[in-house]
C-alpha cells in the first residue's frame, strides 16, 4: 500500500482488507486512485492557504498604510496655520482643522454635524451661504476675504472656496490663509509710496510756491514804498490776489494727492481743471516725457468732485509715465461726443451726450492678459515696492461714482489710450467761469462770534465783517468762546468757528453753545477738512462750510446766506450726531 496515503485512511483500508484478495488487481488500482486524489487535494489546500496568507498580509499592510496616511494628513492639517473645513450639501461641517476650531471657539465634536447658523447665528450663516453660492458650479476656487474677530484682535483671511464631489455627494471645501500681517504691510507700503510721490512733487511745488511768495512779498513791499504815495495801488493788489489764488490751487492739489479733500460734486469744466493741473503735471511726469494738453473749445459741463477729477487725471498721467521708462509723449485731450444706442450698448453705458477725457501715451502697451485685470485692486505689473495696484482701481471707482465709463485701447509695443466718458450736464453753469463782481451784502445789525485760533485769520474775518456793519465778538479758542457767551446778554445771531482748534474743536463748541441757544446758526470753516470731517464726525452735505483759503467776497456771501437761512437743529448739521 502506498505510504503517501493519510494514516487514518490507511488504517481504515487495512481494517477492511481481509475482505479482498491481496493479489486482487482491482484493489491496487483503487488504492492508487485514492492516494492520487488525496495528494492533489492536499496540494490545492496548501496553495489556497498560502494565497490566503499573502492576501491577509497585504490587506493588513494596506490598512496600516492607509491609517498612517490618514493620521499624517490630520497631523499636517492640525499643525498648519491655514483654516481648513469641509461641509456637506446641507452645509453641515464634516471636517474642521485645529486652527479653525481655535478661532471658532468650538471643539471637533461641537463643530462636526452642525451648521454656521447653529454655531454663529443666522446673519453670519447667511453671509457665508451667499459666498458659497458664488463658488457653486464655478469650476474654480472662489476667493473671498473674511474677517474674524478673536477677542480684541481682528484677523483677516483670504479664503478659497471650491467644490469636492465623491460617491457620497457634493461638498464645499474652504482653505484660508492669514493675511493680517500682509494687509498691515500693504498699508505701510501704500503710505510709504504716497510719501515718496509727494516727495517727488515737493521740489516742483516748492519752486512754484516760492515764486508765488516772491510775487506776493514784492508787490506788498511795493505798496509800502513811499514813492507809491498818490499812485494807484490797484496793479499791485491784483497781482497779489492772483498769486494767492494760484498758491491756494497748489494747496488743493496736494490735498487731493493725499486724499484729504471733502468730496463735493459740482458742475465743472474739464478744460479748467486741466489748465489748473498742467503745470504740476509737467513736473510730475519728468523732463523725458513730453506733455501735450489738447483742450477743445466749448466743452460741455459735467457734474463731479473737482478733487476727484484731478486725482483721475493724475493717476492716468502717472500710469502713462511708468509705461514710458525711456521717455515718450503723453497727450491729454478733452472733447464732446454723442453716443447713439448701438455704440453706447457696446460700451456698456446709456446713450446720450458725454464729455470725453482721453489720456494717450507712446509707451509699452499691454498684453490682453494684463488688460483684462487692469482695474483689479492690488493688481500691478510693477516690481515689489514700486506699485500698490490701487491707482487704476481708484480711478475706475471715481469714474463709476460720477456715472461715467472708462475704456482702454492698447496694443503691446504701441502705447495705450484711456478714454473717460462723463455725462453732460444741461442748463447749469460750470464752476471756474469768470464771476461778475457783485457788491458785498451789508449787515442788518446782527451779532457774530468769530472763533479762530490763528490770529491773522481771526483779525482778517473780524475786519471784513466789521466793515460791513456786523457787531463782531472774537474768541481764540473754544474755552474763550464760552467765556464770551457767559458775558453776553442778548445772545448771538451767528457763530463762525474753525473746526480744528486746541483743547476744544468747533463741533464740540457748537454742541455746548446749542444747550442754551438751540437753533443757533453756525458757519464752520477749516483749512484741513480730513482732520475735521473724518476724525471728529462728518458734516451733513448742506451744513454751511467755508473752505480755507477763501476770498473776502466768498466770506461775506456765505455769512449772509447762513444768516438768511432758517435755524437748524443740532442733529441736522451732522451725519452722525
Amino acid at each position: 500500500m502506498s505510504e503517501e496515503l493519510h494514516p487514518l485512511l490507511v488504517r481504515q483500508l487495512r481494517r477492511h482488507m481481509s475482505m479482498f484478495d491481496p493479489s486482487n488487481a482491482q484493489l491496487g488500482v483503487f488504492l492508487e486512485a485514492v492516494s492520487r486524489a488525496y495528494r492533489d487535494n492536499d496540494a490545492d489546500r496548501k496553495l489556497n492557504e498560502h494565497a490566503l496568507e499573502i492576501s491577509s498580509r497585504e490587506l493588513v499592510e494596506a490598512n496600516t498604510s492607509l491609517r498612517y496616511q490618514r493620521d499624517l494628513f490630520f497631523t499636517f492639517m492640525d499643525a498648519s496655520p491655514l483654516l481648513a473645513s469641509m461641509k456637506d450639501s446641507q452645509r453641515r461641517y464634516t471636517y474642521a482643522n485645529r486652527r479653525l476650531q481655535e478661532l471658532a471657539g468650538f471643539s471637533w465634536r461641537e463643530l462636526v454635524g452642525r451648521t454656521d447658523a447653529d454655531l454663529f447665528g443666522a446673519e453670519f450663516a447667511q453671509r457665508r451661504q451667499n459666498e458659497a453660492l458664488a463658488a457653486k458650479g464655478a469650476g474654480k476656487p472662489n476667493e473671498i476675504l473674511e474677517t474674524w474677530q478673536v477677542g480684541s484682535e481682528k484677523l483677516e483671511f483670504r479664503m478659497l472656496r471650491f467644490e469636492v464631489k465623491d460617491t457620497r455627494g457634493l461638498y464645499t471645501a474652504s482653505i484660508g490663509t492669514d493675511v493680517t500681517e500682509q494687509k498691515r504691510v500693504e498699508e505701510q507700503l501704500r503710505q510709504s509710496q504716497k510719501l515718496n510721490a509727494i516727495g517727488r512733487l515737493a521740489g516742483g511745488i516748492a519752486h512754484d510756491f516760492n515764486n508765488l511768495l516772491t510775487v506776493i512779498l514784492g508787490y506788498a513791499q511795493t505798496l509800502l514804498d513811499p514813492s507809491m504815495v498818490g499812485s494807484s495801488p490797484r496793479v499791485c493788489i491784483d497781482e497779489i490776489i492772483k498769486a494767492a489764488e494760484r498758491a491756494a490751487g497748489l494747496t488743493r492739489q496736494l490735498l487731493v494727492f493725499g486724499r484729504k479733500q471733502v468730496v463735493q460734486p459740482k458742475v465743472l469744466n474739464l478744460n479748467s481743471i486741466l489748465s489748473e493741473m498742467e503745470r504740476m503735471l509737467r513736473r510730475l511726469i519728468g523732463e523725458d516725457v513730453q506733455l501735450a494738453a489738447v483742450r477743445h473749445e466749448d466743452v460741455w459741463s459735467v457734474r463731479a468732485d473737482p478733487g476727484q477729477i484731478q486725482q483721475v487725471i493724475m493717476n492716468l498721467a502717472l500710469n502713462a509715465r511708468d509705461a514710458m521708462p525711456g521717455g515718450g509723449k503723453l497727450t491729454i485731450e478733452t472733447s464732446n461726443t454723442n453716443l447713439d444706442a448701438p455704440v453706447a450698448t457696446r460700451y456698456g453705458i446709456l446713450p446720450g451726450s458725454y464729455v470725453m477725457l482721453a489720456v494717450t501715451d507712446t509707451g509699452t502697451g499691454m498684453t490682453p492678459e494684463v488688460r483684462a485685470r487692469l482695474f483689479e485692486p492690488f493688481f500691478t505689473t510693477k516690481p515689489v515696492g514700486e506699485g500698490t495696484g490701487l491707482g487704476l482701481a481708484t480711478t475706475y471707482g471715481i469714474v463709476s461714482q460720477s456715472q461715467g465709463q472708462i475704456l482702454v485701447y492698447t496694443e503691446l509695443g504701441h502705447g495705450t489710450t484711456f478714454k473717460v466718458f462723463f455725462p453732460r450736464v444741461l442748463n447749469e453753469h460750470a464752476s471756474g467761469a469768470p464771476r461778475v463782481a457783485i457788491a458785498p451784502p451789508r449787515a442788518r445789525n446782527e451779532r457774530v462770534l468769530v472763533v479762530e485760533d490763528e490770529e491773522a485769520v481771526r483779525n482778517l474775518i473780524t475786519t471784513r465783517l466789521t466793515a460791513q456793519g456786523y457787531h463782531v465778538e472774537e474768541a481764540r479758542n473754544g474755552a474763550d468762546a464760552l467765556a464770551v457767551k457767559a458775558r453776553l446778554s442778548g445772545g448771538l445771531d451767528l457763530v463762525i468757528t474753525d473746526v480744528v482748534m486746541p483743547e476744544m474743536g468747533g463741533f464740540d463748541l457748537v454742541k455746548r453753545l446749542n444747550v442754551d441757544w438751540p437753533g443757533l446758526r453756525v458757519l464752520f470753516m477749516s483749512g484741513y477738512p480730513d482732520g475735521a470731517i473724518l476724525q471728529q464726525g462728518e458734516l451733513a452735505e448742506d451744513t454751511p462750510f467755508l473752505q480755507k483759503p477763501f476770498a473776502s467776497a466768498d466770506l461775506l456771501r456765505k455769512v449772509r446766506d447762513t444768516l438768511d437761512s432758517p435755524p437748524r437743529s443740532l442733529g441736522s448739521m451732522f451725519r452722525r450726531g
Side-chain angles (χ1 to χ4, degrees), residues 389-459:
L390 289 175
L392 291 179
T394 301
T395 298
Y396 184 85
I398 291 173
V399 173
S400 298
Q401 288 176 353
S402 303
Q403 285 75 53
Q405 178 65 285
I406 182 168
L407 306 175
V408 185
Y409 302 87
T410 184
E411 186 175 345
L412 194 62
H414 292 83
T416 300
T417 295
F418 287 86
K419 289 186 176 181
V420 185
F421 296 89
F422 294 102
R424 176 188 182 183
V425 175
L426 299 174
N427 303 323
E428 291 198 52
H429 244 354
S431 62
R435 291 177 293 181
V436 178
I438 301 176
R442 301 288 299 178
R444 300 169 188 163
N445 203 36
E446 292 101 343
R447 177 174 286 179
V448 179
L449 172 60
V450 178
V451 189
E452 169 60 60
D453 58 318
E454 183 63 42
E455 184 178 5
V457 177
R458 186 174 69 250
N459 290 342

